[in-house]
Amino acid sequence: MPNKALLFTPTLTQEKSLKTLVENRTIFSLDHCELNIFETYEKSDLVPLKFNDLVVTSMLRGKKVMHLFEDPSFEYLPGETVIVPSNAEMKIDFPEASKENPTQCIALAIDHKIISNTLDFLNEKYPKEGKNNLWKLDHENYFFYNNVELAGTINKLIKECMGNSLTKDALADLTLQELIIRIIQTQTTKRFENEKFIDSNSPITPAIEYIKNNIRETINLKDLSDKACMSTTSFYRYFKRELGMSPIEYILNEKIKYAKKLLSNPNIQVNEVSYATGFEDCNYFIRLFKKYEGVTPKQYQLMNYNG
């Protein structure tokens, strides 16, 4: 069971107001972005969609199958986000859409100028360590699960775009800057999840590798900052800026991920998993696992086994 944060779902369009049953579109235009809400009520295949600006899409209801670039198609579900460069064509299947089970998603088109200005600000104000190591959007790393912070930022944008506040353009611009930062942090975290990923420019790479290699142990901040050759304060700030979470939050995420891998074995006991992931208190491990996954370790194990 993936850990995905779901978004606010706007009310569906009334049937008498629908212009089409495939990708019915509602538009909210602001100074530097355009929020599109798409709804589909019947099965369809290879529906084309293209924007002149970079677009952040997020699923709200139902299921799509996305065809992007020359990559294999993939299922697209609530709690997931895809970013698509300007003028790149998406082709979309709606294998289960119906009036009883519609799909709904947002597509947030963002003005190039605000993206460029935000990246320039970050590179000037918070320069990264290493030569040519810049803040940038990674267009190859375009599909990811929403974490709580990213979902919260997208929800704020939806609210501002759909609202009637006199200051909504100003508030939306600030939230767009936050969204760009959240996306870069989410992409960075996802790259570190790839075991083959090595970023020699980043001082936190040795710390990330240490966490992965010692996931069964108790890991403290001093150990990690020593690996990065930084003070604990500098390391903490740098780590949180890069990944959008503290080192402790990252460690817990990795431990939960490892616990889920162990729980795929139907014969392992929960207390064994707790010990193997570095938790001496099994009850604390169970509470933490449920907080992250929404179910207890035993429930997860049974669901995984039965599935």
Side-chain angles (χ1 to χ4, degrees):
M1 175 185 291
N3 190 22
K4 297 185 289 189
L6 302 180
L7 297 180
F8 163 73
T9 50
T11 303
L12 293 167
T13 305
Q14 292 185 355
E15 187 173 354
K16 63 182 180 181
S17 301
L18 292 172
K19 306 176 194 71
T20 175
L21 295 179
V22 178
E23 291 292 66
N24 184 77
R25 184 178 186 179
T26 305
I27 303 173
F28 300 88
S29 294
L30 279 74
D31 286 347
H32 297 115
C33 69
E34 176 187 89
L35 174 67
N36 300 268
I37 302 177
F38 289 99
E39 301 166 14
T40 294
Y41 294 82
E42 66 180 23
K43 292 182 181 179
S44 305
D45 292 324
L46 298 177
V47 178
L49 186 63
K50 183 190 290 188
F51 289 86
N52 293 328
D53 295 307
L54 178 138
V55 64
V56 178
T57 78
S58 291
M59 281 296 289
L60 305 177
R61 310 173 195 249
K63 180 175 82 172
K64 294 181 180 182
V65 175
M66 294 284 285
H67 305 265
L68 259 180
F69 314 120
E70 299 298 321
D71 294 347
S73 61
F74 59 93
E75 286 191 352
Y76 193 19
L77 301 168
E80 299 172 355
T81 288
V82 170
I83 62 168
V84 184
S86 59
N87 297 310
E89 186 174 64
M90 301 170 256
K91 290 190 176 178
I92 308 165
D93 301 338
F94 301 88
E96 299 175 359
S98 67
K99 289 185 179 180
E100 296 73 30
N101 182 37
T103 69
Q104 185 185 46
C105 81
I106 64 162
L108 183 76
I110 306 175
D111 190 321
H112 171 75
K113 184 181 293 185
I114 201 163
I115 297 172
S116 178
N117 289 345
T118 301
L119 295 178
D120 287 345
F121 168 78
L122 290 169
N123 285 315
E124 180 180 345
K125 187 74 174 177
Y126 305 103
K128 291 175 177 281
E129 300 285 337
K131 187 178 180 182
N132 298 322
N133 191 18
L134 301 174
W135 288 86
K136 59 186 177 182
L137 289 166
D138 179 0
H139 294 301
E140 293 183 3
N141 194 3
Y142 56 80
F143 171 67
F144 37 83
Y145 294 156
N146 298 338
N147 55 40
V148 172
E149 292 78 16
L150 179 61
T153 305
I154 296 173
N155 279 332
K156 277 197 289 184
L157 264 173
I158 294 174
K159 179 182 176 182
E160 294 303 336
C161 290
M162 295 180 69
N164 297 312
S165 167
L166 293 174
T167 58
K168 72 177 185 177
D169 281 295
L171 293 170
D173 283 355
L174 292 171
T175 312
L176 284 169
Q177 292 178 332
E178 181 183 345
L179 176 63
I180 292 163
I181 295 169
R182 295 290 186 196
I183 289 173
I184 294 171
Q185 290 172 332
T186 303
Q187 290 178 326
T188 302
T189 302
K190 187 177 177 184
R191 286 202 305 275
F192 276 117
E193 288 174 358
N194 183 348
E195 294 180 358
K196 297 179 181 178
F197 174 76
I198 298 175
D199 183 359
S200 57
N201 288 320
S202 175
I204 65 173
T205 296
I208 295 287
E209 291 178 339
Y210 181 81
I211 291 169
K212 291 180 180 294
N213 292 333
N214 294 274
I215 201 65
R216 295 169 175 262
E217 309 299 328
T218 300
I219 302 170
N220 61 55
L221 191 60
K222 181 67 167 58
D223 293 334
L224 298 178
S225 57
D226 286 347
K227 294 293 179 184
C229 300
M230 301 169 75
S231 71
T232 54
T233 302
S234 296
F235 173 77
Y236 181 92
R237 289 175 179 168
Y238 190 94
F239 194 102
K240 191 160 187 178
R241 189 186 76 195
E242 291 289 296
L243 301 186
M245 68 181 83
S246 72
I248 301 304
E249 289 170 322
Y250 184 85
I251 292 167
L252 292 177
N253 272 309
E254 288 297 303
K255 284 181 178 290
I256 295 298
K257 190 196 308 181
Y258 183 59
K260 288 162 65 176
K261 183 178 179 181
L262 294 177
L263 288 165
S264 64
N265 175 1
N267 298 316
I268 196 168
Q269 299 297 313
V270 171
N271 63 335
E272 294 178 271
V273 176
S274 174
Y275 183 76
T277 47
F279 295 100
E280 294 183 3
D281 185 340
C282 187
N283 289 327
Y284 173 69
F285 165 70
I286 293 170
R287 290 196 303 272
L288 189 70
F289 190 97
K290 187 172 183 179
K291 177 184 174 183
Y292 274 71
E293 298 299 317
V295 293
T296 66
K298 191 64 180 177
Q299 288 170 328
Y300 179 89
Q301 187 179 40
L302 292 172
M303 290 165 63
N304 184 277
Y305 177 66
N306 292 332

